[in-house]
Amino acid sequence: MTDMDLTAATEAAWTSFRGRLADHVAAMAGDDSLVLAVPEALGGDDDAAAPAVLVSALADGLVRLEVVLDARPDRRVTADDVRARLLERLGWPAPLDETGGEHPHQMAERREADRVAVLLVGTLREVHGVPHPAFLAAGGLEVDPGSVAWTPSAPDRPADPGPTGDVVEVPRDREHLQSMVDAAMRVVFPDLRHDADGDIPVRDGESALYVRVLPGRPVVELYAELVVDPVEADRLSLEAGLLNAAHPTWKFVHRDATVVMVHEVVAVPFVASQLRVLVDLFLDDLDRLSGELVARVGGRRFLQPLPPPAPTAEHTPDHTGDHTGEHEPDLVLAGLLELCHLGRPRAATVAGLFGHDRLELIRQIVRLRSGQQGCGEHDPDVVLTALRQALRLVSDGHVEQPTVLSPRPRSVQSSLLGDADLGEDALDLGWSA
């Protein structure tokens, strides 16, 4: 590799690290913290002296950034230190006094994650002198998933059996890894089949998990969309951040008009039991998280059918004397329209009118937005706003005590359309006595 190639590779590594760092800072919440340390630069056995950059999440969408040049009191940065001038040039405040009593620090908003990442990377490179992200201890951010490459294995070398009896093997190429993934999944799903994209679909209630082998690198991705047609799509970025903070095992990304739940398994080597356990854990959370997200932002689960079309107000038949309750939702909406004659109704009034049934509120919003239901002489935006405010009131009342959904059976359908139950012992890995 030439000097030019090495320089380009180093810059690419820092660019990739900066992107991962920005994503991590943007998703921090609660009392999350991140330490970007340089343990190799200690030159001694005093761990407290390690140079580092600290990021701490605070309330109101803020993060606290701090530079630790040397934790030993007699070696902290002072105003006349050349490192202080470097920090000031990068955008850090000057030390509070000449004794270096506090480490340089500043506040930033999480929405400034890209600017924060640029500042932190510049500090690591120019002040701490870190030559490459690989020298950092950064909570896993120093590892670039995209740099993992295929490693050809010797054709005459047998695969190593793992402690559970699994075959532990490094895949030679994508086709080889796909064959091992298929074999591992067929232990649980004998009728396994691929969809048109080559992925393995697994149904879980009204949600769907896709198991796919990524092109170009030995990684197996678990992928699922949590919500379809959300009513409050502008909340999805916030919801993705909250889910990332509450469920660090999985990654949640706001993509187009949905939130995607993802987990990547680096298959170097590939271990079949590991994949099966991760699939089981993923499915334990998937349908529950999808249901809770739908309750907060509206819409439906990935496999949940569309609500049946309802007749418009102009074509609703007269059911005078019909007390079966079949058309009660239409009567409730008619009551809301009557209340609108008195002015904009309060959210609590509308919620009470619908019996605090958030699913019925969502149905009415979908019917109005799709043109299946008319608003008579009222402005549709006024009626929709009243319904949305009531939905938020009802949903917020369930945030701390989410609706308990039916537990997922231990068995999982082998395809999106399959209905056969594979039994309670389908995911038994043979660990029990």
Side-chain angles (χ1 to χ4, degrees):
M1 178 181 290
T2 66
D3 290 344
M4 185 176 297
D5 292 337
L6 180 59
T7 300
T10 301
E11 290 301 322
W14 278 115
T15 300
S16 180
F17 174 78
R18 187 172 63 236
R20 296 193 299 276
L21 178 58
D23 291 342
H24 185 90
V25 171
M28 293 179 73
D31 56 354
D32 289 350
S33 62
L34 175 65
V35 179
L36 308 177
V38 193
E40 292 83 0
L42 291 179
D45 53 6
D46 184 2
D47 290 343
V53 175
L54 312 179
V55 185
S56 303
L58 303 175
D60 301 323
L62 297 176
V63 290
R64 186 180 190 272
L65 314 176
E66 182 177 353
V67 182
V68 180
L69 293 167
D70 195 322
R72 289 170 286 194
D74 60 336
R75 299 191 183 181
R76 292 183 180 179
V77 64
T78 58
D80 60 349
D81 194 317
V82 65
R83 296 173 298 176
R85 293 193 290 273
L86 283 173
L87 290 171
E88 287 188 67
R89 185 171 62 82
L90 289 169
W92 292 92
L96 298 180
D97 53 52
E98 295 184 354
T99 65
E102 277 196 279
H103 299 300
H105 62 275
Q106 62 176 286
M107 302 294 182
E109 296 186 20
R110 284 202 302 271
R111 64 180 182 178
E112 301 177 288
D114 289 329
R115 183 188 68 81
V116 168
V118 171
L119 173 64
L120 299 185
V121 168
T123 303
L124 290 168
R125 299 185 70 177
E126 298 186 33
V127 180
H128 287 323
V130 181
H132 192 282
F135 287 86
L136 293 169
L141 293 178
E142 71 276 14
V143 179
D144 184 0
S147 66
V148 182
W150 298 106
T151 305
S153 58
D156 55 347
R157 178 183 174 184
D160 298 324
T164 63
D166 273 333
V167 173
V168 179
E169 188 171 357
V170 176
R172 296 184 298 272
D173 50 36
R174 187 183 185 190
E175 290 70 24
H176 184 207
L177 178 56
Q178 185 68 67
S179 68
M180 292 192 290
V181 170
D182 291 351
M185 296 291 288
R186 281 198 177 94
V187 174
V188 184
F189 312 112
D191 297 328
L192 173 147
R193 64 174 182 268
H194 295 266
D195 64 11
D197 296 323
D199 304 332
I200 301 173
V202 180
R203 181 168 187 160
D204 179 34
E206 292 184 322
S207 302
L209 156 69
Y210 290 89
V211 181
R212 60 179 59 160
V213 175
L214 297 184
R217 54 195 179 104
V219 173
V220 181
E221 181 185 64
L222 310 183
Y223 172 96
E225 295 185 8
L226 297 186
V227 62
V228 177
D229 299 330
V231 176
E232 296 190 60
D234 57 337
R235 286 177 51 89
L236 293 182
S237 292
L238 171 63
E239 293 291 343
L242 295 174
L243 286 167
N244 278 311
H247 305 278
T249 303
W250 319 119
K251 183 177 181 180
F252 301 87
V253 181
H254 174 203
R255 186 173 299 169
D256 297 328
T258 188
V259 171
V260 176
M261 178 176 172
V262 183
H263 186 77
E264 291 188 353
V265 186
V266 178
V268 184
F270 174 79
V271 183
S273 62
Q274 178 194 33
L275 177 62
R276 289 195 292 267
V277 168
L278 284 170
V279 167
D280 189 31
L281 293 174
F282 196 98
L283 292 171
D284 278 341
D285 287 340
L286 173 56
D287 205 44
R288 174 177 57 84
L289 294 179
S290 177
E292 293 174 359
L293 181 59
V294 167
R296 293 193 295 268
V297 303
R300 55 190 175 88
R301 292 181 175 95
F302 187 75
L303 297 179
Q304 185 177 354
L306 286 167
T312 62
E314 291 79 6
H315 297 89
T316 302
D318 184 8
H319 288 278
T320 304
D322 184 356
H323 301 287
T324 62
E326 180 181 356
H327 301 280
E328 184 177 348
D330 293 334
L331 294 176
V332 175
L333 182 62
L336 173 59
L337 297 179
E338 289 299 320
L339 288 177
C340 288
H341 284 291
L342 302 177
R344 188 183 298 272
R346 296 188 305 115
T349 302
V350 180
L353 186 64
F354 282 85
H356 290 81
D357 186 343
R358 65 177 180 276
L359 293 181
E360 186 56 42
L361 286 165
I362 293 171
R363 290 191 193 98
Q364 292 293 354
I365 291 172
V366 171
R367 292 172 64 190
L368 289 175
R369 285 172 57 87
S370 61
Q372 299 173 8
Q373 176 70 53
C375 296
E377 61 190 67
H378 298 285
D379 184 349
D381 288 337
V382 173
V383 180
L384 282 169
T385 298
L387 289 168
R388 288 168 178 155
Q389 291 174 341
L391 177 61
R392 174 170 291 177
L393 176 67
V394 173
S395 299
D396 286 347
H398 289 264
V399 169
E400 296 183 359
Q401 299 290 335
T403 301
V404 179
L405 305 176
S406 299
R408 184 183 64 82
R410 289 292 299 171
S411 60
V412 183
Q413 311 301 340
S414 60
S415 70
L416 294 180
L417 302 178
D419 293 321
D421 191 346
L422 299 177
E424 291 293 328
D425 298 325
L427 286 173
D428 183 7
L429 302 178
W431 293 337
S432 58

